[in-house]
Amino acid sequence: MLSKKTKYAFHALTYLAENQDKGAVLIQEIASSKNISHKFLENILLELKKAGILGSKKGKGGGYYLIKKPEEITLAKIIRLLNGPIAWLPCVSLNYYEKCSDCPDEATCNMHIIMCQVRDQTLAVVENKTLSDLITSNN
Amino acid sequence: MLSKKTKYAFHALTYLAENQDKGAVLIQEIASSKNISHKFLENILLELKKAGILGSKKGKGGGYYLIKKPEEITLAKIIRLLNGPIAWLPCVSLNYYEKCSDCPDEATCNMHIIMCQVRDQTLAVVENKTLSDLITSNN
DNA sequence: CACAAAACCTACAAACTTAGTAGGGTAATA
DNA sequence: TATTACCCTACTAAGTTTGTAGGTTTTGTG
């Protein structure tokens, strides 16, 4: 299941994508529009900024804005950033790889093979869907 | 990520499948063979029994055994039982459906559509793989 | 320049989930 | 009838998620 953090991130990004003409948007505006705690959203937007997805402007008239085009931001990127690994096992993760303690040999582990398939099927969707697929008013 | 509980279940089921000729197998035998805490494994096997996957025999010479053929036990069933929903959103889950609080309308929610695709791609794998695909000595 | 606005940052707290433990109850077998 | 081994409930410890508190820094404006 996706965490609330992840869902909030999608909501915020969607809002920003739909209001790109506005320039910098206040955290508060996103928070109240999407029913998210201001301070919690603050952390999320900061993470998205550090990941190079959002830009920000401080002081009066400041706020957050998209730094990339919506069609360049894949769902996979957001999910990995805020939700963690997409794979079901660490030994199968492309971005968060870790050796499985219980599995003696990945090459011969049947679980490993199947979990690779699950991962690839999932990635086939979320690597090819972007923020632009989430926007409703898609002019 | 799959929980330890789920991984332990797969290990135990694999062991039972590979030792079907033995009849009832002690919890302790599985636990020490697969390096799992006896008591923790006890809970897991009990759940698998209640789900109709395992049978048990009490008293001396007792233990657990598979009640179904390995090729009848899908990975999806085990994962749902011990790990919970396979879907990434409650509003997309086939077995654990719940309305999303934030999503106003499922029919028009773009996230909903994409998450259905993710779910279906995942199920395409785990509904068609069974315990027999995890066994090494597959005579 | 001073003030206010708004992002930035660190640390903490509460709630929930997962992992594992404790200890006795119950049924079957020898 | 004693032993074995599953059955059951409840609890604890650890970790993660979710959210809060409070101050710092930057920037625009009068």
Side-chain angles (χ1 to χ4, degrees):
Chain A
M1 288 277 183
L2 297 181
S3 66
K4 285 201 172 186
K5 216 168 173 179
T6 310
K7 290 199 258 179
Y8 290 163
F10 279 124
H11 279 140
L13 287 169
T14 304
Y15 189 87
L16 287 173
E18 287 169 349
N19 293 279
Q20 271 183 294
D21 48 318
K22 274 196 186 176
V25 177
L26 287 182
I27 297 177
Q28 189 50 58
E29 180 179 337
I30 305 173
S32 49
S33 158
K34 297 288 189 174
N35 259 301
I36 308 171
S37 143
H38 176 119
K39 289 300 252 175
F40 195 35
L41 183 58
E42 203 174 291
N43 296 329
I44 296 167
L45 295 181
L46 207 51
E47 270 193 80
L48 289 167
K49 188 202 165 184
K50 285 178 183 166
I53 293 162
L54 295 183
S56 67
K57 221 179 118 183
K58 282 189 179 181
K60 197 163 190 176
Y64 281 96
Y65 49 88
L66 281 181
I67 230 174
K68 289 181 176 183
K69 290 181 198 160
E71 56 269 26
E72 288 171 349
I73 304 171
T74 67
L75 302 199
K77 177 149 196 176
I78 307 302
I79 291 170
R80 286 199 176 106
L81 188 63
L82 292 147
N83 213 67
I86 286 172
W88 265 352
L89 293 178
C91 68
V92 155
S93 172
L94 298 175
N95 289 255
Y96 295 86
Y97 175 85
E98 243 175 90
K99 202 164 181 291
C100 270
S101 52
D102 32 15
C103 162
D105 180 21
E106 289 180 15
T108 60
C109 174
N110 290 319
M111 200 67 182
H112 186 86
I113 298 164
I114 295 172
M115 289 300 119
C116 278
Q117 292 176 30
V118 172
R119 179 202 63 198
D120 290 338
Q121 292 287 307
T122 303
L123 287 180
V125 178
V126 294
E127 287 282 21
N128 291 300
K129 295 287 180 185
T130 68
L131 195 47
S132 67
D133 294 306
L134 294 180
I135 302 171
T136 40
S137 57
N138 206 353
N139 317 321
Chain B
M1 287 277 183
L2 297 181
S3 66
K4 284 200 174 187
K5 216 169 174 178
T6 309
K7 290 200 258 180
Y8 289 163
F10 279 123
H11 279 139
L13 287 168
T14 304
Y15 188 88
L16 287 172
E18 287 169 349
N19 293 280
Q20 270 184 297
D21 50 315
K22 273 195 185 175
V25 177
L26 288 181
I27 297 179
Q28 189 51 58
E29 181 179 335
I30 306 172
S32 49
S33 159
K34 297 289 187 172
N35 260 302
I36 309 172
S37 142
H38 176 120
K39 289 298 253 176
F40 195 35
L41 182 58
E42 206 174 290
N43 296 330
I44 295 167
L45 295 180
L46 208 51
E47 271 194 81
L48 289 167
K49 190 202 163 182
K50 285 179 183 167
I53 293 162
L54 295 183
S56 68
K57 222 177 116 182
K58 284 187 177 181
K60 197 165 190 176
Y64 281 97
Y65 50 88
L66 281 181
I67 229 175
K68 290 182 175 183
K69 292 181 196 160
E71 56 269 27
E72 289 172 349
I73 304 171
T74 66
L75 302 199
K77 177 150 195 175
I78 308 302
I79 290 171
R80 286 200 176 107
L81 188 63
L82 292 147
N83 213 66
I86 286 172
W88 265 352
L89 293 178
C91 67
V92 155
S93 172
L94 298 175
N95 289 254
Y96 296 86
Y97 174 85
E98 244 176 271
K99 201 162 181 293
C100 271
S101 52
D102 32 15
C103 160
D105 180 21
E106 288 180 14
T108 60
C109 174
N110 290 319
M111 200 65 182
H112 185 86
I113 298 166
I114 295 172
M115 290 300 120
C116 278
Q117 293 177 27
V118 172
R119 178 201 65 196
D120 290 339
Q121 292 288 306
T122 304
L123 287 180
V125 178
V126 294
E127 287 283 22
N128 291 301
K129 294 288 180 183
T130 70
L131 195 48
S132 67
D133 294 308
L134 294 181
I135 303 170
T136 40
S137 56
N138 206 356
N139 315 319

